[in-house]
């Protein structure tokens, strides 16, 4: 497939590579990879904890203000870029999709964490002050393990990263529990997982409800209770996000994007996209390019 937005794997960042895991303090990582400030994608999971700095971070076309003790979780395929002001530091962890597979019996273990569901609403977490010291200590241990590996070092790294996930995940789940019980939360996550797999071909809630062995009404009520939007809108939002990701690839024509997303023709795709975003695909592409050029100028 033609590509315009750079796509990086861990091998691309070879000076840090060790068995599908990359751990570094953020300042030297950024210094070595200035190109990563521009819009790009990863084939791996990407985790950043900022301890110092200012500016903004854009994930899937949504901008966030960079703050100390803010943690970002990104999944493979998301588009993101940075525009920092002054010195910035913290920690970065990149790990491949299969990194935990040999360590855990549950291959879908990470899917239980809302910050890994690909939604920008869950990807950025401001850590409360009472956990700063505890989380910071875990990242310091991770850096130490990566700089001076010992026997069973990778297993220790995995164990420490899982502690980070669980401790941060508990913060999010405490909020989630207020609105949704564990059974419905599992249903919702399964729905989101199915969307990731089938959004290009299945667009109706009834198709997903059948795979979940529940009624379309139940699925719709679940989405409205937990997300304040309908099940159909959850599906359409995912299609729209992928359309945006493809549109910033200037080498792809609108008709090619429409075909990739399984629309009958360019006209149907344009109508869908404009209804979702208020913009035609061409106007969105022009605006996104203008924003990218503006950010690049600020970085020079």
């Amino acid at each position: 497939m033609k590509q315009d937005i750079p796509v990086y794997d861990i091998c691309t960042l070879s000076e840090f590579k060790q068995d599908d895991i990359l751990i570094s303090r953020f300042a030297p990582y950024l210094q070595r990879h200035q190109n990563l400030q521009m819009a790009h994608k990863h084939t791996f999971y990407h985790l950043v904890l900022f301890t110092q700095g200012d500016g903004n971070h854009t994930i899937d076309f949504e901008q966030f203000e960079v703050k100390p003790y803010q943690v970002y979780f990104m999944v493979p395929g998301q588009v993101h870029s940075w525009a920092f002001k002054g010195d910035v530091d913290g920690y970065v962890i990149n790990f491949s999709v299969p990194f935990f597979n040999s360590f855990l019996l549950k291959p879908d273990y990470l899917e239980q964490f809302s910050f890994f569901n690909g939604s920008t609403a869950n990807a950025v977490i401001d850590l409360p002050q009472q956990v700063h010291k505890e989380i910071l200590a875990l990242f310091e241990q991770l850096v130490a393990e990566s700089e001076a590996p010992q026997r069973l070092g990778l297993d220790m790294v995995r164990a420490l990263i899982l502690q980070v996930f669980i401790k941060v995940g508990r913060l999010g789940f405490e909020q989630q529990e207020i609105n949704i019980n564990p059974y419905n939360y599992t249903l919702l996550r399964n729905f989101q997982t199915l969307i990731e797999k089938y959004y290009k071909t299945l667009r109706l809630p009834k198709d997903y409800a059948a795979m979940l062995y529940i009624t379309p009404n139940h699925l719709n009520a679940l989405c409205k209770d937990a997300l304040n939007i309908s099940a159909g809108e959850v599906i359409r939002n995912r299609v729209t996000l992928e359309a945006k990701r493809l549109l910033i690839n200037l080498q792809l024509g609108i008709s090619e994007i429409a075909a990739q997303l399984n629309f009958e023709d360019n006209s149907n795709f344009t109508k869908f996209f404009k209804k979702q975003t208020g913009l035609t695909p061409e106007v969105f592409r022009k605006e996104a390019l203008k924003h990218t050029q503006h950010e690049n100028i600020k970085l020079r």
Side-chain angles (χ1 to χ4, degrees), residues 21-24 26 29 42 44-50 57 70-75 80 82 90-95 100 115-116 123 125 127 135 139 142 160-162 164-165 168:
I21 180 73
L22 177 160
I23 300 169
S24 174
F26 191 76
Y29 173 84
H42 301 139
F44 48 84
Y45 289 91
H46 182 58
L47 163 61
V48 178
L49 169 64
F50 289 111
H57 185 191
Q70 192 175 63
V71 60
Y72 290 75
F73 295 90
M74 278 157 280
V75 300
H80 79 115
W82 290 308
Y91 306 86
V92 57
I93 299 174
N94 298 334
F95 63 94
F100 285 103
F115 46 73
F116 280 140
I125 298 171
L127 297 176
I135 298 294
F139 276 91
L142 281 161
L160 290 167
I161 293 176
L162 286 175
V164 172
F165 295 164
V168 176

Side-chain angles (χ1 to χ4, degrees), residues 80-260:
H80 79 115
S81 60
W82 290 308
F84 296 123
K85 299 175 184 175
D87 295 332
V88 62
D89 205 359
Y91 306 86
V92 57
I93 299 174
N94 298 334
F95 63 94
S96 68
V97 172
F99 181 67
F100 285 103
N101 287 2
S102 62
F103 191 66
L104 299 170
L105 290 176
K106 294 174 64 178
D108 60 348
Y109 183 81
L110 296 184
E111 292 179 9
Q112 70 183 297
F113 298 111
S114 61
F115 46 73
F116 280 140
N117 69 8
S119 167
T120 54
N122 300 315
V124 180
I125 298 171
D126 292 304
L127 297 176
Q129 188 170 0
Q130 62 266 28
V131 302
H132 285 184
K133 187 175 180 181
E134 190 176 14
I135 298 294
L136 213 60
L138 287 171
F139 276 91
E140 281 295 327
Q141 285 181 267
L142 281 161
V143 169
E145 285 289 337
S146 69
E147 291 178 346
Q150 302 180 53
R151 183 174 176 271
L152 300 176
L154 282 177
D155 284 349
M156 177 61 82
V157 165
R158 291 183 178 99
L160 290 167
I161 293 176
L162 286 175
Q163 285 188 65
V164 172
F165 295 164
I166 292 169
K167 290 181 185 298
V168 176
R170 283 175 173 173
L171 297 173
F173 195 72
E174 285 169 3
Q175 300 285 330
Q176 190 80 18
E177 266 188 320
I178 298 171
N179 300 317
I180 183 170
N181 64 48
Y183 171 73
N184 282 339
Y185 179 76
T186 301
L187 269 181
L188 181 64
R189 291 295 296 116
N190 289 341
F191 175 46
Q192 291 168 325
T193 300
L194 288 171
I195 290 174
E196 282 299 312
K197 190 173 182 180
Y198 296 112
Y199 69 89
K200 290 183 179 180
T201 55
L202 299 180
R203 302 282 167 82
L204 298 177
K206 67 178 183 179
D207 297 321
Y208 293 95
M211 288 188 281
L212 293 167
Y213 299 100
I214 60 176
T215 67
N217 285 343
H218 184 174
L219 179 60
N220 204 46
L222 170 64
C223 291
K224 286 186 174 179
D225 286 346
L227 306 173
N228 294 317
I229 58 176
S230 69
E233 194 169 350
V234 177
I235 301 165
R236 291 189 293 273
N237 286 348
R238 182 62 185 90
V239 178
T240 304
L241 173 58
E242 196 62 25
K244 289 178 177 179
R245 290 175 176 176
L246 293 171
L247 281 165
I248 61 173
N249 181 345
L250 300 181
Q251 296 185 48
L252 286 175
I254 304 300
S255 58
E256 291 178 272
I257 294 170
Q260 280 194 38

